[in-house]
Amino acid sequence: GRLWVASWRTYPKWEPLKEMGDTISILPDENRDGVADKSIIFAKVHNPTGFTFWNGGVIVASAPDLIFLKDTDGDDKADVRIRIMHGIDSADTHHAANNLTFGPDGNIYYQRGVFHVSNVETPWKGPQQHGNSAMYRFNPRTHEYAFHANNSPNPHGISFNHWGYHFATDGTGGRAYQVRPDGKGGFKMQTLLNKTVRPVCSSGILSSDHFPERNNGNFLICNSIGFLGLKQYTLATDDAGNVKGTQIEDLLISKKDRNFRPTDFEIGDDGALYVADWQNVIIGHMQHNVRDPNRNKTHGRIYRVTAKGRPLMKHVKVVGQPIPVLLDLLKHNTYNIRLRARFELSSRETDAVITATKDWLKKNKDPNAQLEGLWVHQQHNVVNGELLKSLLNSKERDARIAAKTVEQFWQKRL
C-alpha cells in the first residue's frame, strides 16, 4: 500500500560525465497523515519510463531493457536485477516504452511512440520488428511478446476497470480509446470519447470507496498544455460492450501555476487520489535544446486529493496473506486492492493458486467473482475450458464480453 515513484532526473537524456541520479523510490506514509514520512531509494535505474509490480518485485522499462528488480532481504533495496527483455528503442526517450500496466490477463502492457523501431525476439517467436507507434504486451511468466494494437502517433496511458474493460490514450493527439478484440485474432482501438484537450500524459479509471458514487468508475485524463489538470468522464456501456465517455466537471485544475504538469495518478491505500506533477517550464523535446538550463531537474511534486467530509479507506493487508484471503480480495470494490491481490498471487506457486481458485469458485458464483477466477487461470497460464464456456454464456453482459478476450488468448489451446 506504499507509494512508489519513478524519478527521472536526467530527462530527456543523461549528459556524459554528470551524475546519473534516476531512481525508483518508495514514499511510505506509516502514520497515514497524507504526507510522506521519508524517501527510500529502492534502486538506481537509468531512464525509468514506466514500472509495475510482479512476482514480489518490480518490472521497469529502462530502454533498451525491461528489468526485473527484487528485494529479498527486506531492507527496501533491490538486491536482484535481471534483464528479462531487450530491444526497446531508445532513439527518443520522450516516447520510449511507457505506462507499464499489469493487466487482469497477466500480461504487462506498454505503449511507445514514433521515431522508434521495436525489434524483439523470444523463445516463441521472432525476431518481431515493428516500426509504427503502438501498444505491446509481454507475459513475464511465459516470455511471450506481441504487438497488441496500433495507436499513433505518441501514445501514453493504459488502464483497466474491474470487469477487465481495456482503455488507452494517445499523448500527442489526446484521443481516447477502448481496446477490443477485432474478431480476427487481434485487437483494435475503438473511439471512447470526443477529444477536448491535448497532450494527454496518462489516463485511467477512478476507483475508490473514499470518493462519492458520482466519481467512481469515471475515466480521468491528465493533460499538461493549455488545460492543466484532470478531465473527468462518465462511462456508459451498451449491450454489445461498446463504451462511450461523457465529459462532466473537471476533477482537478491549476488556474495560477502555469507549470503544473500532471503526468500520472494512482489511488492510494487510503483511497485518496495521488497525482504526479512534472512541474517543468520546458516540456518540449524538439523545440528546445535537450540541455537547456531552464529544464527543471531538481524537483517534481505529488499532490494528494481527498473527498471532503468522507472517511478514508482502512488499510487492507495483502502481502503474505493466505491464498483464500487473496482470492476474496479480488471481490473488493476498489480496483487497486484487486490489483494488489493479483500482484501477490503472481508470486505464488501455480498449482497451489489454481487448486485454491477452483475451491473458491465453488463458493463464489457471482459473475464478477467467476470472471476473476477466469483471470487467475489466464494469469497462471492454465486453460479451464469449462469455466470459460460458462462465462461466455453468462447472464451478465460484462462477464460475457470480458470472457471473449480470454477465449481469444486460449484459441489455439482449447
Side-chain angles (χ1 to χ4, degrees):
R2 299 184 297 178
L3 189 68
W4 288 57
V5 179
S7 204
W8 190 0
R9 190 179 295 268
T10 64
Y11 175 87
K13 286 185 179 294
W14 171 66
E15 296 179 33
L17 305 181
K18 289 196 174 182
E19 182 181 2
M20 194 179 293
D22 305 343
T23 66
I24 299 293
S25 298
I26 311 169
L27 302 178
D29 176 17
E30 302 295 348
N31 60 5
R32 296 171 69 82
D33 66 350
V35 178
D37 302 323
K38 56 185 173 180
S39 177
I40 304 166
I41 295 178
F42 177 72
K44 292 189 176 182
V45 181
H46 186 214
N47 294 351
T49 54
F51 69 96
T52 186
F53 303 105
W54 182 76
N55 191 26
V58 185
I59 294 178
V60 186
S62 174
D65 303 322
L66 282 188
I67 302 170
F68 177 66
L69 303 169
K70 191 170 185 175
D71 165 29
T72 61
D73 57 12
D75 65 352
D76 282 335
K77 306 287 184 183
D79 46 60
V80 171
R81 182 182 291 245
I82 302 170
R83 185 175 73 181
I84 60 174
M85 194 178 85
H86 183 74
I88 297 172
D89 197 337
S90 60
D92 179 2
T93 58
H94 191 77
H95 299 299
N98 63 76
N99 202 178
L100 268 64
T101 303
F102 185 68
D105 53 9
N107 285 300
I108 289 175
Y109 291 84
Y110 71 82
Q111 300 192 102
R112 59 98 179 145
V114 295
F115 313 127
H116 287 237
V117 173
S118 175
N119 193 3
V120 176
E121 184 173 0
T122 74
W124 305 93
K125 185 179 180 181
Q128 301 174 64
Q129 190 173 78
H130 188 259
N132 296 327
S133 51
M135 179 186 291
Y136 297 86
R137 66 177 188 266
F138 172 73
N139 189 324
R141 189 175 294 278
T142 66
H143 279 237
E144 292 170 287
Y145 168 87
F147 159 81
H148 192 69
N150 278 313
N151 192 1
S152 183
N154 288 311
H156 292 257
I158 303 171
S159 58
F160 295 85
N161 72 2
H162 71 273
W163 282 109
Y165 281 83
H166 189 182
F167 306 103
T169 40
D170 165 48
T172 297
R175 292 173 291 271
Y177 301 99
Q178 178 186 0
V179 190
R180 303 199 67 185
D182 63 7
K184 304 175 184 177
F187 291 82
K188 63 181 179 180
M189 297 283 177
Q190 182 173 299
T191 299
L192 177 66
L193 49 86
N194 294 324
K195 182 195 82 172
T196 56
V197 292
R198 62 158 300 278
V200 173
C201 301
S202 182
S203 58
I205 302 295
L206 196 163
S207 173
S208 169
D209 284 349
H210 166 64
F211 276 84
E213 193 60 33
R214 175 171 176 77
N215 303 109
N216 258 299
N218 289 351
F219 187 72
L220 306 184
I221 279 179
C222 296
N223 201 75
S224 61
I225 298 179
F227 174 80
L228 305 177
L230 272 65
K231 290 286 182 183
Q232 182 177 203
Y233 305 80
T234 58
L235 299 180
T237 308
D238 67 19
D239 289 340
N242 302 303
V243 182
K244 293 297 179 185
T246 301
Q247 185 174 338
I248 59 173
E249 73 274 5
D250 300 328
L251 191 72
L252 179 65
I253 183 170
S254 173
K255 294 184 177 180
K256 294 183 179 180
D257 183 356
R258 303 310 300 168
N259 296 326
F260 177 59
R261 315 287 185 186
T263 53
D264 199 10
F265 71 86
E266 291 288 347
I267 300 297
D269 178 61
D270 55 1
L273 178 73
Y274 291 81
V275 180
D277 172 17
W278 189 15
Q279 190 54 216
N280 223 318
V281 177
I282 295 178
I283 59 174
H285 60 126
M286 295 183 295
Q287 305 94 324
H288 303 273
N289 192 300
V290 295
R291 296 176 185 173
D292 190 313
N294 289 314
R295 291 186 185 276
N296 179 5
K297 295 179 178 291
T298 58
H299 72 278
R301 295 170 178 166
I302 297 171
Y303 290 97
R304 177 175 179 264
V305 182
T306 57
K308 193 172 183 179
R310 292 180 62 87
L312 294 170
M313 288 174 55
K314 294 181 180 179
H315 172 68
V316 176
K317 180 174 171 55
V318 176
V319 174
Q321 292 285 61
I323 293 175
V325 174
L326 295 173
L327 292 170
D328 281 339
L329 290 178
L330 295 178
K331 299 187 294 182
H332 201 283
N333 289 334
T334 298
Y335 184 78
N336 177 266
I337 304 299
R338 296 189 185 201
L339 184 59
R340 284 168 55 200
R342 287 175 185 155
F343 290 145
E344 184 69 3
L345 286 167
S346 72
S347 67
R348 306 298 179 89
E349 290 293 330
T350 292
D351 288 347
V353 170
I354 297 301
T355 298
T357 300
K358 288 180 177 178
D359 290 339
W360 182 77
L361 287 170
K362 293 175 184 176
K363 306 169 188 174
N364 292 271
K365 299 296 185 180
D366 174 80
N368 195 242
Q370 290 282 304
L371 179 63
E372 289 291 351
L374 183 69
W375 289 130
V376 171
H377 279 79
Q378 163 65 17
Q379 289 157 21
H380 281 264
N381 199 36
V382 176
V383 171
N384 187 332
E386 184 179 350
L387 177 60
L388 174 62
K389 184 177 180 180
S390 69
L391 283 161
L392 288 171
N393 293 290
S394 173
K395 294 179 180 179
E396 173 56 59
R397 173 202 63 196
D398 295 321
R400 291 195 308 271
I401 290 166
K404 289 179 181 178
T405 295
V406 179
E407 181 185 37
Q408 183 159 304
F409 285 137
W410 290 357
Q411 199 167 33
K412 295 180 180 179
R413 300 175 62 194
L414 285 169

